[in-house]
């Protein structure tokens, strides 16, 4: 994909690397037994470790480690059997320890890749540099009281994964595709819910610009962007800002910036001069984390089928195109729904109904696939009624709408409304005769060469039979009688 900024001195390319913080799904925190549940009353999920009482010792949560390893495996990445925890020292009111425990020099996961898909079906590999575990901080509440701020430590100590990409991204759309794919993989793995509105996934966006053939130039980091749309917008405006600076003979300073979606601009948060010196050192309370290859292998064997593999299988097993398969696997719940519908049936017919009529119905009724008014089993049964000739494709649309409205089974609706397809050739012949008698003039025209009228007759006969006639038999009967 080529995304070019046309400046007055020539064309510029953007260079982007993303650092994503993803909250690990686990019952309890990274180093304590306190609950990680979202939305609890402030300070009800805080252990003495999280509140940093003197002398408290962290104990690592095995499930959090397993989640990080699963994620690394899902990113086709190297798993480091030995990793370490460091203290990242800084003072802030939401961090009672005075340091964050993080994996600085020795992360648990090394290099990997994510395949992203771009409009038009083009794919690209984006490199993953590393994934490490760290603690989240608490939260300051400034809006509860006019003169005071409060601290909520429920989030303090919750496990995060920081997933760092290589500076391989070259367009805002690629950043969007990367984040969507990463979120999809995390959700399939069940290692992070990927919910950016609740803050369980957030991105720091590193942006620089360069002209053709140049080495990388200085980058700026835009902190804590909390939606995919904002990430794409932030890249666009930040890149334009940098081009303008370079072209006016200026110099881009390496700094941390904030994106203001309201104004559509980024602004300085802190410059490199006041960059923190975190005084990293190995946490003396924690031994190096050593895991065994056999344990990793066990986790790998138990991984669910991931989106890329599922997509390839759908293409092969159900004979459906790359694009449709991608739509189906975008969410696991949709993929599962589709498989229930398609198994043992016509895959192409199933994909048309799921991504066409069903999606439209969900949109219209404001529902999601999880609470779909039509179950996968019911839709499957309806497809059976089409394939065994009980109803034709046109009547199926009406049956489906009825299913959406009433939640009744397709058989019951067909029975109740008497929608069974008419295959009795006697009935169809009679309808054809009636229509030909009624439109004798048109029959004349047809016979004197106006072939196009054939469609008119088909329509009339279908109408006469209330849409229930088998279309193939209608065609046959009309051909015989009109030409006879
Ligand atoms: P730091 O440790 O200071 O955060 P890293 O080298 O780890 O720096 O890079 C952080 C992020 O910045 C990575 O996602 C990386 O891909 C990205 N990055 C590095 N150099 C550039 C650049 N010149 N332009 C854009 N992004 C960059
Ligand atoms: Mg960084």
């Amino acid at each position: 994909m080529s995304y070019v900024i046309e400046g007055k001195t020539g064309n510029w390319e953007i260079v982007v690397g993303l650092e994503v913080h993803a909250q690990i799904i686990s019952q309890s925190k990274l180093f304590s037994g306190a609950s990680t549940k979202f939305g609890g009353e402030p300070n009800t999920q805080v252990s003495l470790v999280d509140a940093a009482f003197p002398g408290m010792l962290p104990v690592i949560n095995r499930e959090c480690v397993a989640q990080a390893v699963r994620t690394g495996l899902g990113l086709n990445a190297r798993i480091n059997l030995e990793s370490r925890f460091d203290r990242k020292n800084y003072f802030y009111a939401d961090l009672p320890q005075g340091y964050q425990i993080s994996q600085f020099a020795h992360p648990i996961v090394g290099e990997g890749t994510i395949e992203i898909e771009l409009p038009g079906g083009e794919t690209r590999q984006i490199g993953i540099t590393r994934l490490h575990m760290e603690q989240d901080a608490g939260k300051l509440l400034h809006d509860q009281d006019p003169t005071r701020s409060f601290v909520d430590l429920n989030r303090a100590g919750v496990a995060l994964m920081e997933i760092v990409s290589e500076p391989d991204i070259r367009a805002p759309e690629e950043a969007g595709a990367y984040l969507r794919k990463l979120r999809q993989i995390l959700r399939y793995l069940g290692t992070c819910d990927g919910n950016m509105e609740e803050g369980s996934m957030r991105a720091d966006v590193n942006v620089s610009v360069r002209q053709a053939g140049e080495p990388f130039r200085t980058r700026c980091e835009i902190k804590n962007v909390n939606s995919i749309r904002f990430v794409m917008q932030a890249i666009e405006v930040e890149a334009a800002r940098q081009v303008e600076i370079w072209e006016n003979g200026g110099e881009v300073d390496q700094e941390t910036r904030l994106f203001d979606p309201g104004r559509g601009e980024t602004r300085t948060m802190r410059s490199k001069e006041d960059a923190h010196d975190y005084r990293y050192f190995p946490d003396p309370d924690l031994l190096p984390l050593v895991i065994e290859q056999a344990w990793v292998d066990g986790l790998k064997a138990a991984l669910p089928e991931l989106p890329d593999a599922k997509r390839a299988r759908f293409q092969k097993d159900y004979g459906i195109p790359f694009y449709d398969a991608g739509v189906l696997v975008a969410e696991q719940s949709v993929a599962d729904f589709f498989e229930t519908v398609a198994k043992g049936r016509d895959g192409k017919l199933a994909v048309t109904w799921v991504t066409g009529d069903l999606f439209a119905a969900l949109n219209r009724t404001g529902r999601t696939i999880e609470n779909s008014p039509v179950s996968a089993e019911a839709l499957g049964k309806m497809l059976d009624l089409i394939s065994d000739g009980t109803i034709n494709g046109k009547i199926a649309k009406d049956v489906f709408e009825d299913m959406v409205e009433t939640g009744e089974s397709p058989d019951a609706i067909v029975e109740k409304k008497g929608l069974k397809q008419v295959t009795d050739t006697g009935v169809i012949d009679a309808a054809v005769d009636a229509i030909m008698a009624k439109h004798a003039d048109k029959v004349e025209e047809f016979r004197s060469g106006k072939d196009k009228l054939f469609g008119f007759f088909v329509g009339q006969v279908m109408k006469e039979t209330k849409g229930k006639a088998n279309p193939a038999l209608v065609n046959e009967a009309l051909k015989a009688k009109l030409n006879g």
Side-chain angles (χ1 to χ4, degrees), residues 298-367:
L299 293 172
K300 184 168 188 173
L303 288 185
E305 184 180 38
L306 291 174
D308 288 342
K310 202 184 272 296
R311 181 180 204 164
R313 185 170 61 77
F314 278 12
Q315 284 184 262
K316 189 166 138 285
D317 286 3
Y318 300 108
I320 58 180
F322 181 76
Y323 175 82
D324 288 340
V327 171
L328 292 171
V329 305
E331 281 176 56
Q332 199 158 19
S333 49
V334 173
D336 291 346
F337 190 103
F338 168 76
E339 279 224 275
T340 307
V341 176
K343 201 151 239 155
R345 303 194 173 95
D346 178 348
K348 286 200 181 100
L349 189 62
V351 80
T352 314
W353 278 90
V354 171
T355 62
D357 303 77
L358 179 75
F359 278 11
L362 294 178
N363 253 331
R364 210 172 52 234
T365 54
R367 305 252 204 144

Side-chain angles (χ1 to χ4, degrees), residues 15-19 129 164-167 206-208 216-219 221 254:
V15 176
V16 173
L18 296 173
E19 297 168 271
T129 315
V164 182
S165 88
E166 289 291 299
N206 297 272
V207 182
S208 66
F216 292 156
R217 295 196 183 202
T218 309
R219 70 188 148 100
E221 179 174 4
Q254 183 172 345

